[in-house]
Amino acid sequence: MSRIEALDRRYAASSSLIRHGVEIVAVADPAGARLNAACRQLMLRVDEDGPGLWDDLLGSVKSLRWRLMTHPQPIDLNPALRDGAAEVIRQTRRLRGAVEQDSLLDELAAAAEGAIAQDPALGAILLRSAEEVGANDCVVVAANASARAAMGEWLRPQGVSVLTASSLQRAKPGIEQSYAVGPPRFFGPSLVTAPTTDAVSFLMPAWFRDRQIPHSVLAPYAEGAIRVKARLFVEGDPTEPKFQVEDEEEFEKELLPQPIWGSPPSPGREASSDEVEARKLLLSGNRGLWLDNGERIRALDPGQPSGERVVYTDVEAVRVGTYLLLREGESEPNALYEAALDRLGQRAAEVEATQREWKQRLQRRLRQMGPWRAERELWSAGVKTAERARAWCEPNLVRPQSDQDFEKLLQWLDLPIQPSFANATLLRRETHRTSVHIREQLETAASAADLSALERNGHLSIDIESGGFRGILAARVIAISPHTEIVPRNEARVPFEDRSGQWLE
């Protein structure tokens, strides 16, 4: 199919959805409805008592509630649901005797046990719908990569493809029907405003209250914006306890698993030469990462063919769902720098000396003059990327990218161009060669790794031959902080233990 034909199919699919709308299939789920009701009771209790004591129990209940909506496979093939229920029960036992009334704990434990007492009703409806349409004419859309991996193991023998919403956008048009497992709010607007399939259905438990179809944030302000209507179908008897809250939509947001970021830092302070401004990322496997505003970071794309999975991605392009490749205990730039020096052999001492000389002199100038005045003078001296001056002080940023900028910088520092220019260029070349060598080894290791386990669990250890790069971690980004903080430079891009996102997976 040519690009023009594919585009025509996209327009045809969009036109079809605008005319006919999407389907929302609300499936009665008594066991899930019981857990949902208990979760709402717990939320009201937390509002009364305040957070702290209830945090872990509430997090585990929210997580199990989310899995009931997104992991519909049979219990025997559903470790996420079994583990989630076991964790809720464990947390209720931990609180025994610590709270005044045990009745809510009893109800939560019973609801968790009931959630895994039989196969999810949602799964039976999904399998029946796929069989009616035909395995080759439909695709199942998962809420995230872990749900995709789990449903894939179940549906692959049936010949049904399972994708995430983002991977569906890259698929070739022509598929008749997509079944999105979860409420519409779990998926981006593009699933309905730029559809790949001719028809879209959302399969969700009837007890989830919010059934609004997602739309672009610009839709309220745009003339002729695409607004897709929904047709509701109910499977079974969705009778459940009723709770009245003032803002149901906002309450549903609070019922979803949430990251813990803490209070944003006070504004005003600038990073020192040994610090960096960074944004906190939560990673799968109870890890965190401080990601600075550097240019690139190494990532892994499991959807690419073998030999093309290890990539560099722009820091600004890192999103929830991105798989980052990180070195345990030390940032990759540090390891690359040391490995490149090793490759220089006897030249290493001379290169280190000239690098240290111009970087220390630049650091002194910045400290004496202040960064803003120094940048202005560098601009006047002809350095076109003067705003990068503070970054050039970092040991791992070998030299300015532009030869002319580097020459002008050395002149501004009252240093001879040689041998600093030649030594820095040599080090940059060896760093690049080392990076290419590491990438080749990572590609080989990634090709041999169990990428289905990576998508299912969210993280995977990858070992390569280079000693300085043992302990490579591939980890999925599960949350990104809305604010930046100032952290020590040596802590940036080094994964660390962090349980703030333990209920997000």
Side-chain angles (χ1 to χ4, degrees):
M1 181 182 294
S2 70
R3 294 178 62 184
I4 294 178
E5 289 174 325
L7 186 60
D8 284 343
R9 291 299 300 264
R10 286 287 184 101
Y11 276 114
S14 180
S15 177
S16 175
L17 283 193
I18 293 173
R19 287 196 311 270
H20 304 296
V22 300
E23 289 184 354
I24 294 180
V25 182
V27 181
D29 175 18
R34 183 181 185 183
L35 182 83
N36 179 55
C39 183
R40 285 171 171 256
Q41 289 179 335
L42 178 59
M43 284 285 291
L44 298 176
R45 182 69 178 273
V46 172
D47 287 342
E48 294 175 1
D49 296 352
L53 178 65
W54 298 98
D55 285 353
D56 286 338
L57 175 59
L58 180 59
S60 65
V61 173
K62 285 182 178 180
S63 178
L64 176 58
R65 181 179 181 268
W66 189 88
R67 294 177 190 191
L68 283 170
M69 293 184 276
T70 58
H71 288 68
Q73 60 269 26
I75 294 299
D76 289 345
L77 301 174
N78 208 329
L81 210 57
R82 298 197 305 269
D83 293 346
E87 184 60 28
V88 170
I89 295 169
R90 189 180 77 83
Q91 292 295 338
T92 59
R93 290 171 179 164
R94 189 180 65 85
L95 286 178
R96 297 287 181 187
V99 295
E100 294 181 0
Q101 298 177 356
D102 286 344
S103 58
L104 179 55
L105 300 180
D106 292 337
E107 178 60 16
L108 285 165
E113 290 175 350
I116 57 173
Q118 58 186 11
D119 293 340
L122 196 62
I125 301 300
L126 173 61
L127 191 57
R128 187 192 72 192
S129 300
E131 290 173 347
E132 289 175 352
V133 174
N136 294 328
D137 294 321
C138 71
V139 62
V140 172
V141 186
N144 65 8
S146 60
R148 190 208 73 80
M151 281 194 287
E153 293 183 0
W154 168 44
L155 293 174
R156 192 176 300 113
Q158 315 298 328
V160 179
S161 298
V162 184
L163 303 173
T164 59
S166 59
S167 57
L168 179 62
Q169 289 299 312
R170 298 192 296 268
K172 293 182 179 180
I175 301 173
E176 179 182 338
Q177 173 78 51
S178 59
Y179 293 105
V181 180
R185 70 175 304 155
F186 286 11
F187 303 89
S190 63
L191 191 62
V192 294
T193 58
T196 302
T197 60
D198 299 330
V200 176
S201 297
F202 293 94
L203 276 65
M204 57 181 288
W207 47 260
F208 191 86
R209 310 289 178 82
D210 184 2
R211 295 167 183 169
Q212 295 185 63
I213 301 300
H215 57 74
S216 167
V217 293
L218 300 177
Y221 313 101
E223 183 177 346
I226 298 175
R227 291 185 179 276
V228 179
K229 297 179 181 179
R231 293 171 285 125
L232 177 64
F233 297 88
V234 179
E235 291 276 353
D237 181 7
T239 303
E240 60 172 306
K242 299 295 183 182
F243 290 89
Q244 296 297 324
V245 294
E246 292 183 3
D247 189 340
E248 182 66 37
E249 182 178 356
E250 190 62 32
F251 196 67
E252 282 289 6
K253 289 181 182 179
E254 294 180 10
L255 285 170
L256 296 176
Q258 302 288 337
I260 302 172
W261 298 120
S263 302
S266 301
R269 188 171 81 84
E270 291 186 1
S272 69
S273 59
D274 295 326
E275 296 175 322
V276 66
E277 190 174 357
R279 197 175 298 274
K280 187 178 182 182
L281 274 57
L282 297 180
L283 308 176
S284 181
N286 292 325
R287 289 178 172 88
L289 183 80
W290 292 108
L291 182 59
D292 59 359
N293 59 353
E295 295 177 354
R296 304 184 303 167
I297 187 168
R298 205 186 292 269
L300 180 68
D301 188 348
Q304 294 301 315
S306 179
E308 300 177 18
R309 291 172 179 151
V310 178
V311 298
Y312 270 112
T313 186
D314 292 339
V315 166
E316 294 181 355
V318 173
R319 298 287 185 269
V320 171
T322 300
Y323 291 93
L324 298 180
L325 282 172
L326 306 164
R327 186 176 182 273
E328 297 271 26
E330 186 180 12
S331 68
E332 181 181 326
N334 284 345
L336 277 175
Y337 182 83
E338 294 298 329
L341 283 175
D342 286 344
R343 290 171 64 101
L344 290 176
Q346 296 180 350
R347 291 286 303 277
E350 178 191 345
V351 170
E352 272 197 292
T354 54
Q355 286 291 100
R356 185 166 52 249
E357 181 181 19
W358 74 261
K359 285 177 178 289
Q360 288 180 348
R361 187 168 295 198
L362 174 58
Q363 198 168 42
R364 283 196 300 270
R365 286 275 183 99
L366 291 171
R367 187 167 53 247
Q368 293 167 358
M369 304 173 65
W372 307 120
R373 179 185 167 193
E375 283 184 23
R376 287 196 300 270
E377 288 202 7
L378 283 168
W379 276 106
S380 299
V383 179
K384 296 181 179 180
T385 54
E387 73 279 359
R388 298 281 293 160
R390 281 179 288 183
W392 293 332
C393 295
E394 301 176 22
N396 304 318
L397 205 161
V398 177
R399 45 151 286 183
Q401 187 69 25
S402 164
D403 288 350
Q404 184 178 12
D405 275 0
F406 192 26
E407 290 178 357
K408 297 291 184 183
L409 173 66
L410 291 172
Q411 291 171 353
W412 183 74
L413 292 172
D414 299 323
L415 286 171
I417 293 177
Q418 299 298 350
S420 295
F421 185 95
N423 285 341
T425 303
L426 175 62
L427 179 58
R428 183 175 65 175
R429 183 166 60 247
E430 290 303 326
T431 301
H432 176 71
R433 288 175 178 171
T434 303
S435 179
V436 170
H437 177 63
I438 296 301
R439 180 189 177 281
E440 291 172 350
Q441 292 193 26
L442 283 171
E443 282 287 3
T444 301
S447 297
D450 183 1
L451 296 185
S452 63
L454 172 64
E455 292 195 280
R456 183 174 59 252
N457 301 324
H459 56 277
L460 186 70
S461 293
I462 299 176
D463 285 328
I464 60 178
E465 295 177 1
S466 297
F469 279 82
R470 294 189 183 278
I472 297 293
L473 170 72
R476 182 168 58 231
V477 178
I478 59 176
I480 300 175
S481 173
H483 55 259
T484 60
E485 299 183 40
I486 294 175
V487 300
R489 188 179 299 278
N490 61 1
E491 294 182 8
R493 305 198 180 199
V494 181
F496 55 89
E497 291 292 323
D498 191 305
R499 301 186 66 82
S500 302
Q502 62 179 321
W503 308 119
L504 296 181
E505 298 184 77

